[in-house]
Amino acid sequence: MLSSEHRRSLAGRARAETKLRLSRMLGNDLRWTGKLYFYEGWPIFRAKGPIVMGRDCRMRGGPVRTRLTTSPSGRIELGVNVGIGFGGEIYSDRLITIDDHSSIGPYVTIYDTSFHSVDEGSEVKRKPVEIGKNVWIGRQVIILPGVRIGDHAVVGSGSVLSRDVPPRTLVAGNPPKVIREVTASDGWQRM
């Protein structure tokens, strides 16, 4: 006999699978492998381009829903065991990759486009964003187009990233500065 907690877990996963299939039927390009977990509500998907979610991805939907959006030329790829906190916004016009075992805090914003030009006659900035393995991104971080965050890096809350973050470093502030190196072997995982 299953415990009530196990039954609730199975029912939650079944609801998530059903909602994903319904969302795909409504025209969203959603792809996933294995189990996905949605806590405290359902994220908002606007997927004209593919959103690919790896096994055991977790997204928190409340108190403010997370929003994942792709343009027809955009793509979002979430690796295995990626966690995304509530209130986040991820928008892709090119490519955003978040690699395995990375954790994205609440209210994090990730864009791979600047949406409009800054100067008359200049082009819109569109560059892929890459987030490495086992990365921890704190609350209310903003990640701008073209940023690469190395494996095992930690980004402190409130940082605005317009430049790359080296692997195994802790960065914080605005503009972000390297605070110290992070000790992490290749196989170690924070979660």
Side-chain angles (χ1 to χ4, degrees):
M1 177 165 226
L2 298 174
S3 69
S4 62
E5 182 177 310
H6 191 91
R7 281 194 307 272
R8 279 194 308 272
S9 174
L10 289 174
R13 280 187 293 200
R15 281 191 304 274
E17 180 89 13
T18 302
K19 287 181 179 180
L20 283 169
R21 289 183 189 283
L22 177 61
S23 186
R24 191 162 54 185
M25 285 174 28
L26 294 172
N28 287 301
D29 189 355
L30 302 175
R31 305 168 192 181
W32 63 94
T33 57
K35 299 178 230 168
L36 301 175
Y37 302 91
F38 301 116
Y39 301 100
E40 297 179 11
W42 179 253
I44 298 169
F45 294 109
R46 303 271 190 267
K48 293 178 183 167
I51 297 175
V52 182
M53 296 168 276
R55 177 178 41 81
D56 295 330
C57 281
R58 301 167 320 284
M59 290 184 216
R60 183 165 235 139
V64 178
R65 293 169 66 186
T66 295
R67 190 171 21 188
L68 285 84
T69 307
T70 54
S71 72
S73 61
R75 181 179 180 92
I76 297 172
E77 296 179 0
L78 306 178
V80 172
N81 198 28
V82 168
I84 299 177
F86 60 85
E89 182 171 3
I90 302 174
Y91 181 93
S92 176
D93 193 45
R94 288 287 185 258
L95 175 64
I96 295 174
T97 57
I98 302 173
D99 214 336
D100 300 345
H101 310 291
S102 290
S103 182
I104 312 297
Y107 299 110
V108 169
T109 303
I110 305 171
Y111 296 139
D112 68 357
T113 179
S114 60
F115 297 100
H116 53 80
S117 57
V118 175
D119 297 312
E120 182 180 350
S122 66
E123 291 193 23
V124 175
K125 184 176 182 179
R126 291 180 177 96
K127 292 188 177 177
V129 172
E130 296 177 37
I131 299 173
K133 290 182 177 164
N134 200 33
V135 171
W136 179 14
I137 297 174
R139 183 183 184 101
Q140 292 181 318
V141 169
I142 299 172
I143 301 172
L144 299 173
V147 171
R148 300 171 97 184
I149 301 174
D151 294 348
H152 304 287
V154 177
V155 180
S157 295
S159 300
V160 178
L161 299 179
S162 59
R163 294 193 177 99
D164 293 352
V165 175
R168 293 180 172 83
T169 57
L170 166 63
V171 299
N174 190 6
K177 293 181 174 66
V178 174
I179 305 298
R180 66 177 179 87
E181 290 188 17
V182 172
T183 304
S185 63
D186 283 336
W188 182 68
Q189 298 171 15
R190 282 191 178 83
M191 302 184 284

